[in-house]
């Protein structure tokens, strides 16, 4: 056992040391439980202490059980670190702040980088296109390695996009559209392939749903995704329940990830407990696998080195911190990420929209009348209690849901800024602001519904058939 300390520690990766430490801790506990000889226990403890010193020298962090090094080292901060702080993980988002989650603090907790004006300007220079409103307005606010992706593109090397959806209902709401709207812009702007993972297996494991329902939701959600306008020649949409069994290369990558992530790690990253089914514990590797180009041999012809860029909401980041930690150890490039803020519920920015609460959301199936009623009745207002007070003191656009929604969907920056100023000054009343939002959403959703009607079962089948895409690598 002594060969794992000594001078070799300097050549070990942080994860190697972490796993050695975890194993040595188990050894010490076993020796004590079995009441081994004192000399054996002392030797094991000394080795454990030496490994802890080596670990701190290499990582700059104290060893903590269930809290692996590198990007996963911050993963236990998915939830609130103290009373009153924001809760953000792949299944729960909540805050006590009427303005919503504090995203600057979240960047620090998750260890990502802020999308600053310099990066937005560089995206415009490299792409030759005006930045999408989501970038201009900080809706996509955080990234990992986006500069590296742009470096690759400037050298005439391509990358591909990966995003996804967990299908838990027939209808999508407006919040679900955010990553797809932005991903379509990225696909059009950079002219690159896209893979979209529909995690029907995840929803079966987490929700009280049958496998048949989960798969049916996948097919219905695929129609809404296709209606966003993705290029069928450059887009592959897949169901985990279908593709996992049909693609040996995809499953091989799942197994590689599973071998290199310990149970302690997934407990630390995702908060799994002893009562969680083993399917949940194994699932993160399935969401990781599309990050690697070799998972799609029909698209990338077996290449393992094509860079992946993942646009997603920030609550999905724990999956990809884990993925980025594993990637170099299995011979793949780390995926890059672009993180979005959350689309607020009608009742306010304290929570994201819920597909299970009809009045918290504007659904893509809503009629113009339903949209009008939901906004007028349920959209949280930053206005004052009376017209007189509002005219005198003005409203607060930072907490007003109607204004928040307009920042997502109103294209014209000057119009948006004028609405902000008029509302804050009291010149624009809450009812008038809501009317502006209704007039923006109604044609947008009606247009989406018209496009969705054109999506046939045959179209869905074409998008979801494993095939070469119209791109040369």
């Amino acid at each position: 056992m002594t060969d794992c300390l000594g001078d070799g520690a300097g050549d070990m990766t942080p994860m190697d040391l972490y796993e050695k430490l975890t194993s040595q801790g188990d050894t010490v506990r076993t020796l004590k439980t079995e009441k081994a000889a004192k000399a054996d226990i002392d030797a094991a403890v000394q080795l454990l202490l030496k490994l802890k010193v080596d670990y701190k020298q290499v990582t700059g962090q104290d060893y903590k059980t269930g809290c692996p090094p590198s990007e996963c080292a911050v993963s236990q901060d998915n939830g609130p670190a103290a009373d009153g702080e924001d809760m953000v993980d792949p299944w729960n988002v909540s805050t006590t702040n009427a303005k919503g989650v504090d995203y600057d603090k979240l960047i620090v907790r998750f260890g990502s980088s802020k999308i600053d004006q310099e990066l937005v300007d560089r995206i415009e220079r490299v792409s030759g296109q005006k930045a999408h409103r989501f970038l201009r307005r900080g809706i996509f606010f955080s990234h990992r390695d986006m500069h590296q992706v742009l470096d690759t593109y400037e050298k005439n090397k391509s990358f591909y996009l990966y995003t996804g959806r967990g299908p838990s209902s027939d209808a999508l709401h407006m919040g679900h559209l955010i990553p797809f709207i932005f991903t379509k812009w990225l696909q059009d702007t950079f002219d690159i392939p896209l893979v979209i993972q529909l995690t029907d297996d995840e929803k079966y494991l987490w929700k009280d749903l049958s496998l048949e329902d989960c798969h049916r939701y996948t097919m219905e959600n695929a129609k809404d995704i296709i209606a966003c306008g993705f290029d069928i020649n450059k887009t592959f949409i897949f169901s985990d329940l279908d593709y996992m069994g049909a693609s040996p290369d995809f499953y091989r990558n799942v197994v590689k990830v599973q071998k290199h992530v310990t149970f302690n790690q997934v407990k630390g990253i995702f908060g799994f407990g002893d009562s969680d089914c083993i399917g949940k514990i194994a699932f993160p590797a399935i969401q990781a696998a599309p990050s690697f180009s070799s998972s799609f041999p029909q698209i990338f012809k077996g290449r393992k080195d094509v860079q992946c860029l993942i646009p997603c909401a920030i609550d999905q980041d724990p999956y990809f911190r884990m993925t980025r930690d594993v990637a170099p150890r299995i011979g793949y490039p780390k995926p890059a990420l672009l993180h979005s803020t959350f689309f607020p519920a009608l009742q306010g920015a304290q929570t994201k929209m819920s597909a299970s609460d009809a009045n918290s959301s504007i659904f893509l199936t809503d009629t113009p009348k339903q949209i009008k009623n939901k906004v007028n009745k349920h959209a949280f207002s930053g206005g004052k209690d009376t017209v007189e007070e509002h005219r005198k003191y003005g409203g607060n656009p930072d907490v007003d849901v109607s204004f928040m929604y307009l920042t997502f969907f109103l294209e014209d920056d000057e119009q948006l800024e004028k609405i902000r100023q008029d509302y804050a000054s009291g010149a624009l009343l809450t009812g008038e602001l809501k009317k502006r939002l209704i007039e923006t959403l109604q044609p947008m959703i009606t247009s989406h519904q018209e496009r969705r009607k054109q999506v046939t079962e045959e179209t869905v089948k074409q998008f979801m058939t494993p095939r070469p895409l119209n791109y040369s690598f």
Side-chain angles (χ1 to χ4, degrees):
M1 291 173 66
T2 56
D3 64 353
C4 65
L5 60 97
D7 296 332
D11 299 323
M12 297 171 68
T13 67
M15 186 54 67
D16 289 337
L17 277 170
Y18 174 82
E19 290 176 349
K20 289 276 188 187
L21 262 167
T22 302
S23 175
Q24 189 62 20
D26 292 340
T27 298
V28 170
R29 283 187 289 275
T30 300
L31 290 171
K32 288 181 177 179
T33 300
E34 295 176 351
K35 297 183 179 178
K38 185 176 184 299
D40 290 341
I41 294 174
D42 288 346
V45 169
Q46 286 302 312
L47 175 54
L48 181 66
L49 293 174
K50 176 66 171 70
L51 285 169
K52 286 184 176 180
V53 171
D54 291 341
Y55 182 84
K56 186 160 188 176
Q57 287 177 342
V58 171
T59 67
Q61 303 161 349
D62 290 323
Y63 169 79
K64 293 180 181 178
T65 303
C67 189
S70 184
E71 293 165 39
C72 292
V74 294
S75 294
Q76 286 191 314
D77 275 341
N78 294 338
D83 288 345
E85 286 206 358
D86 302 334
M87 163 68 81
V88 177
D89 66 29
W91 307 282
N92 302 285
V93 176
S94 63
T95 177
T96 57
N97 189 336
K99 294 182 181 180
V101 170
D102 187 326
Y103 293 105
D104 287 332
K105 284 185 178 179
L106 207 56
I107 286 172
V108 174
R109 281 170 51 190
F110 280 11
S112 58
S113 301
K114 187 179 180 66
I115 295 178
D116 55 17
Q117 190 58 46
E118 179 187 352
L119 179 54
V120 174
D121 291 344
R122 188 180 178 204
I123 290 171
E124 289 190 334
R125 285 198 310 273
V126 172
S127 69
Q129 301 288 329
K130 181 180 180 180
H132 193 276
R133 63 181 181 273
F134 290 173
L135 284 171
R136 302 196 305 267
R137 296 171 189 169
I139 290 168
F140 273 80
F141 71 100
S142 162
H143 75 100
R144 296 186 188 276
D145 288 347
M146 187 58 194
H147 281 291
Q148 182 179 310
V149 171
L150 296 174
D151 290 343
T152 298
Y153 189 76
E154 285 185 315
K155 294 173 184 174
N156 295 318
K157 295 180 181 178
S158 191
F159 61 97
Y160 74 100
L161 298 167
Y162 157 39
T163 193
R165 156 95 182 117
S168 59
S169 62
D170 280 313
L172 273 63
H173 59 57
M174 295 297 290
H176 293 140
L177 278 187
I178 302 309
F180 295 114
I181 291 171
F182 187 60
T183 300
K184 183 187 183 311
W185 180 81
L186 288 169
Q187 183 183 55
D188 293 344
T189 298
F190 291 98
D191 187 28
I192 46 176
L194 162 67
V195 296
I196 299 175
Q197 181 184 46
L198 298 177
T199 56
D200 36 16
D201 52 345
E202 176 207 12
K203 291 307 173 187
Y204 175 68
L205 294 168
W206 262 268
K207 301 275 189 179
D208 185 19
L209 297 168
S210 69
L211 269 177
E212 292 72 24
D213 281 343
C214 292
H215 196 257
R216 179 171 57 81
Y217 293 152
T218 287
M219 297 304 158
E220 290 303 311
N221 287 186
K223 293 176 183 177
D224 277 306
I225 293 168
I226 292 166
C228 292
F230 291 109
D231 184 344
I232 193 169
N233 296 309
K234 292 186 171 67
T235 306
F236 173 49
I237 303 174
F238 65 99
S239 146
D240 282 348
L241 290 175
D242 291 337
Y243 190 61
M244 274 273 285
S247 175
D249 295 274
F250 186 92
Y251 183 60
R252 283 188 176 95
N253 280 339
V254 170
V255 172
K256 286 179 184 178
V257 175
Q258 288 172 340
K259 181 172 181 176
H260 288 80
V261 181
T262 67
F263 181 48
N264 273 340
Q265 282 177 266
V266 292
K267 283 198 297 184
I269 296 167
F270 301 102
F272 294 142
D274 293 340
S275 61
D276 282 308
C277 71
I278 60 174
K280 290 184 180 181
I281 296 157
F283 173 75
I286 299 172
Q287 186 156 324
S291 307
F292 310 130
S293 58
S294 60
S295 293
F296 307 99
Q298 72 276 13
I299 301 172
F300 302 107
K301 301 176 176 63
R303 281 186 55 179
K304 301 178 180 180
D305 61 341
V306 184
Q307 174 86 53
C308 177
L309 174 62
I310 306 169
C312 63
I314 187 70
D315 60 339
Q316 297 301 301
D317 188 67
Y319 284 109
F320 300 114
R321 292 206 297 276
M322 180 200 78
T323 306
R324 285 168 55 84
D325 188 75
V326 170
R329 292 186 288 134
I330 58 177
Y332 297 142
K334 294 181 178 182
L337 287 101
L338 292 169
H339 300 126
S340 75
T341 59
F342 302 115
F343 193 74
L346 283 167
Q347 286 76 10
Q350 285 90 342
T351 60
K352 63 178 182 178
M353 291 176 119
S354 169
S356 59
D357 181 356
N359 289 325
S360 77
S361 314
I362 303 290
F363 283 88
L364 300 183
T365 52
D366 284 347
T367 64
K369 184 178 180 181
Q370 286 174 316
I371 294 167
K372 180 179 180 180
N373 288 340
K374 283 184 179 182
V375 171
N376 283 332
K377 290 181 180 179
H378 300 292
F380 183 80
S381 168
K384 297 298 184 284
D385 292 337
T386 65
V387 171
E388 291 74 18
E389 286 182 343
H390 188 88
R391 293 290 191 203
K392 183 175 181 180
Y393 300 109
N396 183 355
D398 292 335
V399 301
D400 191 287
V401 166
S402 295
F403 183 78
M404 289 181 188
Y405 279 24
L406 285 173
T407 65
F408 280 86
F409 298 119
L410 187 63
E411 177 61 34
D412 191 302
D413 293 336
E414 291 184 4
Q415 283 185 37
L416 185 69
E417 181 56 29
K418 187 175 189 310
I419 290 169
R420 172 190 281 279
Q421 292 176 2
D422 287 351
Y423 193 62
S425 70
L428 187 70
L429 297 174
T430 295
E432 295 168 331
L433 178 58
K434 289 188 173 186
K435 183 173 183 289
R436 185 63 190 269
L437 174 62
I438 292 163
E439 291 170 348
T440 301
L441 290 182
Q442 284 176 332
M444 179 181 173
I445 292 179
T446 299
S447 176
H448 179 90
Q449 290 167 354
E450 289 300 318
R451 291 193 304 272
R452 192 185 191 279
K453 287 178 184 176
Q454 307 304 314
V455 179
T456 64
E457 299 295 332
E458 181 60 29
T459 305
V460 174
K461 183 179 178 181
Q462 289 175 348
F463 269 94
M464 300 186 73
T465 297
R467 67 203 188 281
L469 296 182
N470 187 14
Y471 203 87
S472 177
F473 281 90

